[in-house]
Structure formats: C-alpha cells, structure tokens
Amino acid sequence: MEKKPFVTKEQLDQIVARYPTPFHLYDEKGIRENARLVRKAFAWNPGYKEYFAVKANANPAILQILKEEGCGCDCSSLTELMLSKACGITGEDIMFSSNDTPAEEFAYARKLGAIVNLDDITHIDFLEQNGGIPETISCRYNPGGVFEFGNGIMDNPGDAKYGMTTEQIFKAFRILQGKGAKKFGIHAFLASNTVSNDYYPTLAKRLFELAVELKEKTGADIRFINLSGGVGIPYRPDQEPNDILKIGEGVRQVYEEVLVPAGLGHVALYTEMGRFMMGPYGCLVTRAIHEKHTYKEYIGVDACAANLMRPAMYGAYHHITVMGKEGEPCDHKYDVTGSLCENNDKFAVDRMLPKIDMGDLLVIHDSGAHGFAMGYNYNGRLRSAEVLLREDGSTRLIRRAETPHDLFATLDVTGVQIPYEDVEG
Ligand SMILES: *Cc1c(COP(=O)(O)O)cnc(C)c1O
C-alpha cells in the first residue's frame, strides 16, 4: 500500500518559499472530515462527545477547528487548561484527566467548571481541600493484569501508573456520595495506539459491566462513560487503518447488550482521542542538507528529534516521502538523521528510499499528534513553526518558529548578555 502526503510537490514548493523548513504542516480538510466521521460513528448515542487530548497537539488554531466540529478538550495540566479557556472551551466541555495532580491545578479546573476525572482514591480528600468536590465527578479505572482484545493483541494496565483498582473505585464512589457528589462517570485507558477495530468495543464492554455493578452496589447515578484515547493510526504503509464507523457500531452493540437492559440506556459516551483525531493530518516538512558515506549511508536533514521525538524515543516508524520522487524505485538504503549529538536522533534507520539529492524536500508523515507537542530544546535546538493548510489551499502560520530570544528568555535572572546582534544581521 502507498502512503501519500496530503500536499503535492507543487503545493509544497510554494509553501516552503514562504516558510523556511523545518515546520509541521497540518491539513484542515483532513482534520474536519475525520472529526465528522467520528461524530457520525457515535451519533447513535445522544450525549456523545469527543474531548480532544490537548497533549497530542496544543495549538489553539487546532483546538478551535476541533471545537467547531463539536469537540471539547481533555486536559491534564495547568497550561492545557489555560489554553482551553483561551479557545473559549470551558465548563463541562473540559475533561480534566490528570494524574499526580498539583493542588493549584485541581483548583483551577474547578474554577473553570471542568469535569474532574480522579486518577486515585487519595485524590478525593486532596480535591476537597483544593477546589472542593463537585456534583459531577469521574473516576479512572485500572483493572490490572493484561488487557486483551482483537486477535490476541494486548497491553499491560497492571504495569500502568493510572487509575484505581476495582475495590478502590467502589469505595471511591461511596466516599464521593458521602461528600455530596451526585452524578458519576467512569474512565479507563487500557491500551495505546491500537490498530484494531476491537479495542473500543472490548474496553466498552468491560466499563459497561463495571457501570452496571457500580450502580447496583452503590446506587450511584452514572451519567457518562469515557473510553478515553488509544485508538491508533497506521504509521506503516502495510497497516490496515481503523474503521471508526465499525468501532462505533461495535460499541453500540455492547451498549445495547449490557447498558440498556440494566436501565442505563441514557448514559452518555465520551472519548478522549488525540492520535486518531490529529496524527495523520500533520507532517514534518524538512530538507536534506547533508549526505554522509561512512559505514552506512546517511542523509542529514534540517529537522531533528527536538521537532519529532517518537522515532528516537520509541523507535517508532514514521513514513517518509521524498517529494517529487514518489514514482522512483526505493533502491537506496539510508539512515535519515537530525543534528542532535545523540545517536538515536534518526527519523529512519535502514530505510529503502529513492536516491536523495541535497535540497530535496522530505515529508515525514503522521506528525499531527504527539509530534510538535513532544518537542524539546536539547542541544539548544529551537522548536519549529506550525503551518495550517486551509481547505481553500491557502496557508496560515499558526505558530512561529522559536528564536534564540525564546530559548534564552528564562536566563534573564542571570544578567548574562546574550550576543543576539551576532546572529541577527
Ligand atoms: C494521552 C491521553 C489521551 C490521548 O491518547 P491517544 O493515544 O493520543 O488517543 C487521552 N486521555 C488521556 C488521559 C491521555 O493521557
């Protein structure tokens, strides 16, 4: 199977004439079409809402597009909450799914009227002292052990730091009821980047059964069930993409099977997808600036792991298209590297690609989620710009590239004079 960039060579040549590489480019059309498909998949559930995981892509222009498509925000830090508010997303359009939460963040989430999703039973008292216990509250569940779905695919919630045990969530509901909570939700995130139409339905069944038991044993009024994130994308060209309509239908079936007969046919479903909402609709545009022939063949590009960390951090595959050479044979084996003094700064290892010439534009696919957002400043590397490709083909700069001033701004306390004039002509 072929993986095609969402821009053509001709379009990209025009874009790079305006914005110097490297930069992340986002596809507004793709974002909107996918968001509409997600809504359609869960349209059978009247209360359905997608709370976009802000950590995946924290650009306000993106949050606003998703807001227009009916999404709220899933936040887990103070600044993510601030950004949501800045985009006019407040109140119960924010899900605060944090963990190891500082006091002031609970207080701010409560101030904004966000739905608080408690990661731990001990956070009940902590929240009570920092913002107070709201009427509507959610608890995060972790069943422990291994979680298996599809054809033997599994993940290890037992090793994950998140959520409450089965015993704890029952106890937490009772304590919260005692402290005045009236409307309840449950949440779980049990597997990451699942490329399987079975993850959500299997997770939903587990949570629905838990909801029925919680209702029976505690009498709690359960209003929503949050399937969180974890729906993956095909980073590799040979992977079969998830079919969100099938996923929605699979969840509907277990909803009818488990929740409706238990008198819970009014429960709203929420999701907190990040990767599925944005991953494929962003790419990192970079240029080949060096070739090196030593024990291996290297292509050095003008982006580095500071712009996209997943390959370096997880050994993750990101597809690469050499623009304008799509039809040429992939008969050269390259390591595609960035400039960090860190040997894992490689976007690809032993990748078969067409012959790359200096100046060629490379599109590194699927950087729309957990791409720019994971960026960092190691080696004093500056974070890139973000550019939005609009539906009419025009572009909009939605974040400028960092400058040395941004990097050194926090050194103001030292009184050291940075020689900006040396590099600013
Ligand atoms: C990271 C995260 C998400 C989004 O995960 P994706 O895999 O990007 O869909 C959702 N909810 C919470 C609480 C998260 O930490």
Side-chain angles (χ1 to χ4, degrees):
M1 225 183 295
E2 209 191 324
K3 235 173 134 68
K4 275 195 176 162
F6 55 79
V7 278
T8 62
K9 168 86 164 58
E10 293 65 39
Q11 273 179 304
L12 203 57
D13 282 338
Q14 286 185 6
I15 297 171
V16 298
R18 204 162 156 203
Y19 312 104
T21 56
F23 55 86
H24 288 267
L25 182 69
Y26 302 117
D27 172 24
E28 180 168 2
K29 184 162 178 280
I31 297 167
R32 289 190 187 275
E33 283 174 2
N34 180 67
R36 286 172 199 171
L37 210 58
V38 167
R39 278 186 78 161
K40 188 174 167 199
F42 292 95
W44 55 267
N45 180 261
Y48 173 74
K49 192 170 186 81
E50 153 70 7
Y51 290 87
F52 174 65
V54 175
K55 79 161 187 253
N57 189 318
N59 191 298
I62 301 296
L63 300 185
Q64 262 150 357
I65 290 170
L66 289 170
K67 181 190 174 196
E68 285 168 20
E69 299 300 335
C71 301
C73 283
D74 157 33
C75 300
S76 64
S77 70
L78 187 77
T79 53
E80 287 177 3
L81 288 167
M82 292 168 70
L83 205 58
S84 294
K85 185 183 176 188
C87 294
I89 301 165
T90 57
E92 297 206 342
D93 289 339
I94 301 176
M95 185 68 60
F96 189 53
S97 286
S98 60
N99 69 93
D100 189 21
T101 314
E104 64 274 18
E105 302 193 2
F106 271 140
Y108 188 49
R110 291 284 291 117
K111 190 175 159 196
L112 295 184
I115 302 178
V116 174
N117 180 34
L118 290 174
D119 182 65
D120 191 53
I121 191 165
T122 62
H123 294 184
I124 298 173
D125 287 343
F126 195 77
L127 176 64
E128 191 173 32
Q129 289 152 22
N130 297 286
I133 303 292
E135 245 191 38
T136 302
I137 189 111
S138 175
C139 291
R140 184 166 184 167
Y141 178 54
N142 183 335
V146 291
F147 182 73
E148 206 177 321
F149 55 95
N151 292 320
I153 311 170
M154 55 182 85
D155 213 319
N156 275 302
D159 283 338
K161 65 174 177 171
Y162 311 107
M164 308 181 193
T165 67
T166 309
E167 199 186 335
Q168 286 171 342
I169 200 168
F170 281 86
K171 202 169 159 198
F173 266 49
R174 290 199 179 93
I175 297 170
L176 287 163
Q177 285 172 310
K179 293 183 186 293
K182 299 253 174 337
K183 297 180 241 171
F184 288 82
I186 54 177
H187 168 286
F189 190 155
L190 303 187
S192 200
N193 190 26
T194 59
V195 187
S196 156
N197 293 330
D198 294 320
Y199 170 61
Y200 260 6
T202 310
L203 169 69
K205 186 156 195 274
R206 190 80 173 250
L207 288 180
F208 294 170
E209 285 164 356
L210 175 69
V212 172
E213 213 184 324
L214 278 164
K215 180 198 162 203
E216 281 167 2
K217 296 213 170 122
T218 68
D221 179 3
I222 295 173
R223 295 293 181 98
F224 60 88
I225 291 169
N226 184 343
L227 302 177
S228 191
V231 178
I233 58 166
Y235 285 100
R236 291 176 182 273
D238 58 359
Q239 282 178 303
E240 183 72 26
N242 284 330
D243 182 341
I244 197 69
L245 296 178
K246 261 195 198 144
I247 291 174
E249 174 56 20
V251 174
R252 190 192 64 78
Q253 281 172 19
V254 287
Y255 189 99
E256 297 289 334
E257 185 186 313
V258 180
L259 284 187
V260 173
L264 287 172
H266 58 277
V267 167
L269 287 183
Y270 297 157
T271 54
E272 289 175 342
M273 292 182 282
R275 197 183 313 269
F276 190 79
M277 302 306 290
M278 276 303 297
Y281 313 110
C283 63
L284 176 57
V285 179
T286 184
R287 203 185 277 283
I289 57 170
H290 290 288
E291 56 187 313
K292 176 167 175 165
H293 318 281
T294 54
Y295 304 103
K296 298 185 88 174
E297 291 297 299
Y298 294 100
I299 294 294
V301 296
D302 60 6
C304 68
N307 308 114
L308 176 65
M309 202 205 269
R310 297 187 71 259
M313 188 170 179
Y314 310 117
Y317 181 95
H318 277 260
H319 198 65
I320 296 178
T321 299
V322 184
M323 295 306 283
K325 297 187 173 174
E326 292 85 342
E328 295 183 18
C330 293
D331 54 3
H332 282 65
K333 191 194 267 188
Y334 293 119
D335 280 16
V336 179
T337 78
S339 59
L340 295 185
C341 301
E342 169 64 69
N343 195 42
N344 65 4
D345 182 16
K346 294 177 178 174
F347 290 114
V349 174
D350 295 334
R351 182 78 55 90
M352 296 308 295
L353 291 166
K355 180 174 188 307
I356 296 174
D357 295 297
M358 294 305 89
D360 277 355
L361 285 174
L362 272 60
V363 159
I364 305 181
H365 292 239
D366 300 317
S367 76
H370 313 296
F372 179 95
M374 272 182 144
Y376 57 115
N377 286 118
Y378 195 46
N379 257 178
R381 287 290 156 203
L382 302 175
R383 271 170 283 203
S384 78
E386 296 181 287
V387 177
L388 181 68
L389 177 62
R390 289 191 283 204
E391 291 179 281
D392 63 4
S394 65
T395 53
R396 180 182 157 210
L397 185 66
I398 58 173
R399 188 191 302 266
R400 65 163 172 81
E402 277 180 346
T403 69
H405 290 270
D406 299 314
L407 185 70
F408 296 131
T410 49
L411 297 177
D412 53 351
V413 294
T414 65
V416 165
Q417 294 299 309
I418 308 287
Y420 295 114
E421 63 283 0
D422 286 1
V423 297
E424 285 171 355

